[in-house]
Amino acid sequence: MNTTALLIGLGPLLGWGLYPTIASKIGGKPVNQILGSTLGTLIFAIIFSVSQGISLATGTDLLLGILSGIGWASAQIITFYCFGLIGSSKAMPVTTAFQLLGASLWGVIALGNWPGVSAKVFGGLALILIIVGASLTVWTEEKSDENTSVLKKAVIMLAIGEIGYWGYSAAPQATSLTGQEAFLPQAIGMVLVAVIYSLVLSVKTKEKSAFIEVVSYKHIFSGFFFAFAALTYLISAQPDMNGLATGFILSQTSVVLATLTGIWFLGQKRTKKEMTMTLIGLALIIIAATVTVML
C-alpha cells in the first residue's frame, strides 16, 4: 500500500469520524441536520463532478443512484433522532455494527461470500463479536427502567435504519457507474428526501419551516465532512488504490473517532468502567470488521 492510497483510505476516518460530532455540536432538530448536511453534500458533489468533467448519469443508472441517496438520507434521519435519545457516542457504534452485519449477511446470501465451512464459522464468530462489541459500547453502570426503555427504542430504530444504509450501498452495484459517477446522483437523492421531509414535517407540525431556520444552513458545513468521507471511500475502494476489502476496513475506523469525540467534546460522559467497556467494544468491532472482509 503506497502513501497516497493510505491517506485517501483514511479520508473516511476523518470525515465520517467527525461528521456525527460536528452535526451534534451545531445542534438543531433532525430536520435541520438532514437538510443542511445533504445540501452540503450536493454542493460538494457538484463542485467535484464539474472539476472532474463528470457528466450526470442518465436512465436507470441515474434512478438507481438517486435511490441510493434516498436510502442513506432516510436512514440518517433515524440516526439523527437516535443521537437525541442516547447520544452520538452510543448511537454510532450500534449503527456501525448493524451496517457491518447487514453488509456481511448480504455478501454471504446474495454474493456467495465466505465459501467453505471454515470461512462461515469464522465469519459467524466475527458477527457475534460485532454484536458483543456494540453491546459493550452502550453498557452502563447505573441502570433504570427509563434508560433501558430509551436504549431499546434507539436500538430498534437503528436496526430499521439499516435498511436505508443497505440500499445506499447496494443500489450502485446494479449500475454501470463508477464510484465517482454515482456520487452526484446519490447527493441528489439525499437532498430530495431532506426537502420532502422538511416540507411534510412543517405542514404536519405547524412549526417553523426548517428552510427558514439559520441552523439548517450551518449544517452545510457538516455535510462537507460527510461528502469528503463518501468520496474518499469511493476512490479508496477502487482496485488500483486500496481495493474494496482494505478500503472498507479503513473506513470502519471512523466509528472510533466518532465515539471518542462524542464523549470528549459533547459531554457524553462515561464512568471509568463504562469507558473501559466502550474501548473494548470498539476494538472488537474493528477486529470483527477486519475478519469479515479477509475471509
Side-chain angles (χ1 to χ4, degrees):
M1 183 188 301
N2 60 51
T3 303
T4 300
L6 177 60
L7 290 175
I8 292 175
L10 290 175
L13 165 63
L14 293 175
W16 284 332
L18 294 175
Y19 170 61
T21 301
I22 291 172
S24 297
K25 190 68 175 179
I26 292 173
K29 301 183 290 291
V31 65
N32 304 119
Q33 294 170 320
I34 196 66
L35 180 60
S37 59
T38 56
L39 286 173
T41 301
L42 180 61
I43 292 169
F44 194 106
I46 290 173
I47 293 173
F48 173 77
S49 297
V50 171
S51 66
Q52 298 299 309
I54 299 175
S55 300
L56 182 63
T58 58
T60 303
D61 284 347
L62 175 61
L63 178 60
L64 288 172
I66 290 174
L67 287 175
S68 171
I70 288 173
W72 178 85
S74 301
Q76 192 61 35
I77 291 172
I78 295 174
T79 303
F80 279 141
Y81 181 77
C82 291
F83 284 178
L85 291 176
I86 60 175
S88 62
S89 64
K90 289 186 177 181
M92 284 307 298
V94 174
T95 190
T96 298
F98 280 133
Q99 290 178 57
L100 287 169
L101 290 171
S104 299
L105 292 174
W106 171 254
V108 173
I109 295 171
L111 304 179
N113 294 345
W114 302 357
V117 176
S118 62
K120 287 182 172 60
V121 170
F122 282 109
L125 291 174
L127 297 184
I128 293 173
L129 276 184
I130 290 172
I131 296 172
V132 172
S135 299
L136 290 177
T137 63
V138 297
W139 180 83
T140 57
E141 281 193 85
E142 296 184 8
K143 295 178 174 61
S144 68
D145 291 341
E146 182 180 357
N147 289 341
T148 301
S149 176
V150 170
L151 177 60
K152 182 178 180 180
K153 178 180 179 181
V155 170
I156 292 173
M157 292 184 68
L158 290 170
I160 294 172
E162 166 56 24
I163 298 172
Y165 287 132
W166 173 82
Y168 170 63
S169 300
Q173 296 179 14
T175 73
S176 60
L177 302 175
T178 64
Q180 290 93 325
E181 291 169 338
F183 190 36
L184 182 54
Q186 286 175 336
I188 293 172
M190 293 172 188
V191 170
L192 284 175
V193 170
V195 169
I196 293 172
Y197 176 61
S198 301
L199 290 172
V200 171
L201 193 64
S202 63
V203 171
K204 184 178 180 180
T205 63
K206 308 296 183 181
E207 295 180 354
K208 184 187 296 185
S209 172
F211 291 100
I212 61 174
E213 292 184 302
V214 174
V215 68
S216 296
Y217 299 98
K218 290 182 179 179
H219 278 285
I220 289 176
F221 179 67
S222 68
F224 291 156
F225 280 81
F226 170 81
F228 172 75
L231 179 59
T232 51
Y233 171 66
L234 290 171
I235 297 173
S236 171
Q238 293 180 350
D240 59 343
M241 294 298 289
N242 295 308
L244 182 60
T246 301
F248 181 76
I249 294 172
L250 290 173
S251 74
Q252 295 311 300
T253 59
S254 62
V255 68
V256 177
L257 186 60
T259 301
L260 296 181
T261 54
I263 294 171
W264 293 334
F265 299 119
L266 298 177
Q268 299 171 6
K269 302 298 183 183
R270 298 284 201 282
T271 65
K272 186 175 180 179
K273 287 184 179 179
E274 288 171 351
M275 191 66 185
T276 299
M277 291 297 186
T278 295
L279 293 175
I280 293 173
L282 291 174
L284 290 178
I285 290 172
I286 296 300
I287 291 170
T290 304
V291 171
T292 60
V293 298
M294 292 180 65
L295 293 174

